[in-house]
Amino acid sequence: MSIRAVVAVVVVVLAAASAARAAPNPSDLEAELVCPTCDTTLDQSNAPIAQRMKQLIRQHIAAGWTEERIKADLVDQFGPGVLAEPPKSGFDLLAWLLPLGLLVAGALGVGVIAWGWSRRRDDPAEEAADDRPLDPELERRLDAELERYEA
Amino acid sequence: MTGDARQGTVQRVGQVIALAGVAALLALLVWKVAFGNEEGAADELARGKVVDAPAFDLDRLDQDGTLSIADLRGKPVVVNFWASWCIPCRDEAPVLEQTYRRYRDKGLVVLGIDVNDFRADARRFMGKYGLTYPIVYDGKGSTVGKWGVRGFPETFFVDRSGKLVGERISGPVDIERNRDAYERGIALALGSKQ
């Protein structure tokens, strides 16, 4: 077999593999799209419109549509609410960034509080305050209470 | 600033931030409770309130362009919410077409609002049932909450001043249980006394 023939076979195999990879999986798409009348993902809905959407998704896949094109078509018909995950652009980006921001702010808050506690524990002035003798009157009352308890 | 003072300041700032977070979450909760479950026009109508037909401006399916409720001011309108996948909608489509043909000389408009549907499916449905009245497309369902639509089909009546009249009809129109309400709604929209 000539080198040219080997290269041709490799190109064809790679192209076929690439095409197979590009074909969207209907089950994956059904889990990423929302039924507009029932607010659950398509894979969990048997509503008439959900069934129609599943049917059309399969038809579009068979016609060679990419995942992006299928989603874009459904967004055009039903609006961005048809996507189970909000887009990672524009105003919808907030839906992704806000929880992350809150997580970071929470971690910072916990860090600040922990730092405050550790500072207080290491503070020699506070330790010295703990070692101060009791007020004589308080000490007398404490002794009296202990004696009464032991009796 | 001493170590104690700095530590105190840091703690106070932390407390203020935490309190602000809690206050913001509470405000969101109050807002959701107060405004999140906004009543639709149908609910207000059922309580006897005088209600304007909620506004919309949607693409037409029967021809190019858009149509808004304001464009129909001065005309009595039968507003029908439907979808091609809705089985009872098939039963009532010929009745609505008949109503349109019968009353259009008196100025009555039957307006279909196709909701949560594919445009192509809706157009096929219109062709199959020979619908000639104006139909607009609301794939996103933006009118559903404002009108208080709970299922498909549903039908409302709007008088010449743009107010909802009669009662909302849930389910296909002109069947035994709602024939009177359907005829009364049309008469009220036309301005005839019932």
Side-chain angles (χ1 to χ4, degrees):
Chain A
M1 194 186 281
S2 71
I3 291 176
R4 208 175 274 179
V6 171
V7 169
V9 168
V10 169
V11 166
V12 167
V13 168
L14 284 177
S18 165
R21 207 170 39 241
N25 181 336
S27 304
D28 290 347
L29 269 173
E30 286 167 15
E32 293 168 16
L33 293 160
V34 175
C35 157
T37 58
C38 39
D39 290 335
T40 59
T41 49
L42 293 182
D43 57 349
Q44 307 208 351
S45 173
N46 278 320
I49 184 62
Q51 289 181 27
R52 179 71 182 127
M53 288 167 83
K54 289 180 203 174
Q55 185 190 14
L56 272 179
I57 286 169
R58 280 169 168 72
Q59 281 177 14
H60 290 331
I61 290 171
W65 286 29
T66 63
E67 181 180 326
E68 289 71 29
R69 188 174 170 198
I70 293 170
K71 284 184 176 174
D73 178 63
L74 290 170
V75 167
D76 175 50
Q77 309 251 11
F78 300 103
V82 78
L83 301 174
E85 286 185 350
K88 293 178 180 125
S89 62
F91 182 75
D92 293 313
L93 190 61
L94 264 183
W96 293 93
L97 293 182
L98 218 55
L100 275 178
L102 286 175
L103 206 67
V104 171
L108 279 175
V110 169
V112 165
I113 291 166
W115 177 71
W117 283 343
S118 69
R119 289 260 312 178
R120 197 184 300 165
R121 191 174 297 167
D122 298 342
D123 193 346
E126 200 135 321
E127 266 181 34
D130 289 345
D131 293 341
R132 271 184 311 197
L134 281 176
D135 175 52
E137 173 59 18
L138 188 62
E139 196 163 7
R140 191 191 60 72
R141 277 178 57 196
L142 189 62
D143 287 343
E145 291 288 336
L146 279 171
E147 266 173 35
R148 200 178 334 151
Y149 174 72
E150 279 164 8
Chain B
M1 192 187 273
T2 65
D4 274 353
R6 192 165 48 239
Q7 187 185 328
T9 308
V10 168
Q11 276 190 330
R12 265 192 297 279
V13 169
Q15 284 167 347
V16 167
I17 291 172
L19 277 174
V22 171
L25 287 174
L26 269 175
L28 265 178
L29 181 69
V30 169
W31 182 85
K32 176 70 183 161
V33 169
F35 304 106
N37 296 318
E38 197 180 350
E39 270 196 328
D43 302 301
E44 293 184 50
L45 180 71
R47 284 193 285 109
K49 276 191 165 181
V50 177
V51 193
D52 283 326
F56 59 77
D57 190 5
L58 295 164
D59 289 339
R60 292 183 75 147
L61 283 175
D62 56 316
Q63 62 181 66
D64 289 340
T66 61
L67 188 68
S68 70
I69 195 76
D71 295 334
L72 298 169
R73 185 59 66 90
K75 293 180 179 175
V77 190
V78 175
V79 181
N80 174 251
F81 290 85
W82 69 282
S84 66
W85 44 261
C86 146
I87 292 166
C89 299
R90 298 169 195 170
D91 298 332
E92 69 169 4
V95 179
L96 291 165
E97 178 63 25
Q98 203 179 17
T99 302
Y100 179 55
R101 287 170 190 256
R102 183 170 168 197
Y103 292 105
R104 75 179 151 191
D105 289 346
K106 293 183 178 174
L108 184 124
V109 177
V110 174
L111 172 69
I113 302 185
D114 176 46
V115 183
N116 295 149
D117 203 358
F118 286 97
R119 288 186 192 90
D121 289 354
R123 288 201 174 100
R124 258 194 302 277
F125 183 101
M126 291 158 61
K128 184 175 176 185
Y129 292 97
L131 306 183
T132 58
Y133 53 83
I135 292 180
V136 291
Y137 177 71
D138 183 17
K140 297 173 192 172
S142 61
T143 50
V144 168
K146 286 189 278 186
W147 283 73
V149 174
R150 294 201 187 122
F152 302 101
E154 264 189 24
T155 302
F156 296 81
F157 305 93
V158 182
D159 70 10
R160 292 177 200 273
S161 66
K163 301 269 188 288
L164 292 181
V165 290
E167 58 187 272
R168 172 243 312 261
I169 295 183
S170 298
V173 294
D174 202 30
I175 55 174
E176 198 174 341
R177 70 179 159 82
N178 64 35
R179 186 159 294 131
D180 287 348
Y182 185 58
E183 284 170 7
R184 190 168 56 248
I186 291 170
L188 287 167
L190 285 166
S192 319
K193 288 196 175 150
Q194 279 278 304

